[in-house]
Amino acid sequence: FKKSNNIAFSDQSLLDVNQLQTLNLHAVSSTSLKPVKQAYCQMMNGYFAEMYHLGHQNLQFVGQVKLPHAQDENLSKSFVDADQFYDFILNRYTSYRQAQEIMGFGCNLKAALH
């Protein structure tokens, strides 16, 4: 996405998917066109929705998963329902909230998780 829409990003480095606390460094610029912002939201919400559904459907295994930079998290609790996962993503595991604030466009992750 960053390659095909490189003008929308001020940071051209690759996103380290093992360090989602830096997601705000890879945010779409606030001056980008609305279709680019919508595509970014669709891509990111799809990623997190898939992550949630895989974890939620496999709760018996989630406790054994070790996510980088989330060692102190009770993942079984975070994946038990969409509201818990939403809180985990927006407030503890990623900087997705800040990425949305930077681009000045809300992505409605809560709706994507349901």
Side-chain angles (χ1 to χ4, degrees), residues 87-99:
D87 180 61
F88 171 64
I89 293 300
L90 285 188
N91 298 315
R92 298 191 307 280
Y93 185 55
T94 73
S95 54
Y96 191 35
R97 180 184 305 272
Q98 291 92 339

Side-chain angles (χ1 to χ4, degrees), residues 1-2 8-9 11 13-15 19 29 36 43 80 90 98:
F1 187 81
K2 282 183 85 171
F9 294 88
D11 185 316
S13 63
L14 293 175
L15 170 65
Q19 176 51 295
S29 167
V36 173
M43 177 187 64
V80 75
L90 285 188
Q98 291 92 339

Side-chain angles (χ1 to χ4, degrees), residues 47-96:
Y47 172 79
F48 289 125
E50 184 68 18
M51 184 180 182
Y52 168 68
H53 291 299
L54 285 172
H56 183 69
Q57 293 171 355
N58 295 287
L59 280 177
Q60 69 274 25
F61 302 115
V62 169
Q64 301 168 29
V65 173
K66 301 294 180 209
L67 291 176
H69 309 286
Q71 294 87 351
D72 299 331
E73 285 291 331
N74 178 349
L75 292 180
S76 296
K77 183 181 175 194
S78 295
F79 281 85
V80 75
D81 64 39
D83 290 335
Q84 292 290 326
F85 185 75
Y86 175 83
D87 180 61
F88 171 64
I89 293 300
L90 285 188
N91 298 315
R92 298 191 307 280
Y93 185 55
T94 73
S95 54
Y96 191 35

Side-chain angles (χ1 to χ4, degrees), residues 8 10 23-31 37 95-105:
S10 57
L23 196 56
N24 62 311
L25 300 177
H26 303 274
V28 170
S29 167
S30 63
T31 58
K37 293 177 182 181
S95 54
Y96 191 35
R97 180 184 305 272
Q98 291 92 339
Q100 293 174 67
E101 289 170 358
I102 289 168
M103 75 175 172
F105 193 82

